[in-house]
Amino acid sequence: MESVPVRCPACRRDHAYVTPVYPCPCGAPTAPPLLRGAPVTPITHRTWNDDWVTVRCRGCGRHDQWPQPELCCPCGAVLRIPVRPVAAPGRGRSSSRAVRPSHIPLPRTAPAPRPPFRPLTIRTARDAVGAAALYLTWLGYRDVVQPAGHPASRIDLRAAGLIAQVDSTTRPTALRDVECLWLNALSASVSSVFFSLAGYAPDARERADGLFLPLFVMDLAGTPQPVNSPADELLSTGA
């Protein structure tokens, strides 16, 4: 696996980013080619079409689209990792149009005895809620459901002893959203979890730490990543 040094422009923290490896339909491991030395870009606005990169399989030469590599810094920033552009497929290939994979398995890093999480690729806001629901079920929550309609409380998911909100907008989740979720959980005497596609504002992250509210950031592969200590603990212990 390829690794590159990454410095967060928000907090100046250094990271070693390891390229995610996905299986090509031919079975060969495939990874986006990272562009060494290029600066990372904080993600403040998302566009669905721009969050995919073309990757060429070294085994069969097939061109597919995979999620743009991203890194979730503990400070709450979500960073886009630049990749080397890949030439368009040449003539004679079975298809010159890149096809987004319908399923991208998570690398085998899930703690035993929990089986590997099988994510749902995110293309729409509905997919984001579905991916969060799968993740909560994987963590061990029972009866995970999506409330009918769109309640004024903005609660996207409910489970036994838990409510969760999924922010699929293109801006970092704000302080008010975190506080509203916590207050809703407090009034219902349940726990709460927040999922976001674009990360969290610094004051929202700080407040969540004080409230011991787990925060997760999701990439377009549908894999939530913890961004604060409560989320780390939840991932470690499960429901």
Side-chain angles (χ1 to χ4, degrees), residues 2 14 19 33 57 59 66 101 110 127 133 155 184 187 194 223 226 229:
E2 185 179 5
D14 291 319
T19 312
C57 175
W66 301 94
D127 289 341
I155 300 306
N184 277 311
S187 64
F194 213 117
T223 305
S229 296

Side-chain angles (χ1 to χ4, degrees), residues 114 138-141 233-239:
R114 194 184 299 146
W138 177 74
L139 286 174
Y141 287 100
E233 181 174 336
L234 178 58
L235 176 60
S236 175
T237 61

Side-chain angles (χ1 to χ4, degrees), residues 15-16 55 62 74 83 88 94 123 133 169 181 198 200-201 207 209 227:
H15 305 273
V55 178
R62 176 189 176 98
V83 300
S94 59
R123 298 186 179 90
T169 64
L181 176 64
Y200 300 87
R207 184 66 169 144
D209 289 345
V227 296

Side-chain angles (χ1 to χ4, degrees), residues 29-219:
T30 307
L34 302 184
L35 187 60
R36 288 183 173 271
V40 298
T41 305
I43 299 176
T44 56
H45 295 80
R46 283 190 181 276
T47 58
W48 298 109
N49 291 334
D50 292 341
D51 282 334
W52 300 82
V53 293
T54 301
V55 178
R56 180 179 182 274
C57 175
R58 294 183 179 181
C60 67
R62 176 189 176 98
H63 286 66
D64 278 328
Q65 285 189 322
W66 301 94
Q68 167 79 43
E70 297 175 1
L71 183 145
C72 302
C73 182
C75 75
V78 183
L79 309 175
R80 179 176 287 117
I81 312 298
V83 300
R84 294 195 304 272
V86 176
R91 295 180 180 178
R93 300 197 186 279
S94 59
S95 174
S96 60
R97 183 181 179 182
V99 179
R100 295 178 185 176
S102 59
H103 170 70
I104 303 172
L106 179 69
R108 297 183 180 179
T109 56
R114 194 184 299 146
F117 175 60
R118 303 178 70 85
L120 170 70
T121 303
I122 298 174
R123 298 186 179 90
T124 66
R126 184 184 296 271
D127 289 341
V129 175
L134 288 175
Y135 192 74
L136 291 175
T137 300
W138 177 74
L139 286 174
Y141 287 100
R142 295 177 290 105
D143 305 323
V144 180
V145 296
Q146 184 175 359
H150 192 71
S153 63
R154 298 180 60 190
I155 300 306
D156 295 298
L157 293 168
R158 294 183 181 274
L162 178 85
I163 58 175
Q165 187 171 335
V166 182
D167 186 353
S168 58
T169 64
T170 59
R171 295 182 180 277
T173 298
L175 170 63
R176 181 180 180 183
D177 295 323
V178 168
E179 290 182 332
C180 286
L181 176 64
W182 179 78
L183 288 171
N184 277 311
L186 184 65
S187 64
S189 299
V190 296
S191 301
S192 55
V193 179
F194 213 117
F195 297 89
S196 176
L197 276 178
Y200 300 87
D203 56 353
R205 162 70 189 279
E206 182 178 358
R207 184 66 169 144
D209 289 345
L211 298 173
F212 207 73
L213 195 161
L215 302 180
F216 290 87
V217 170
M218 293 191 293
D219 58 24

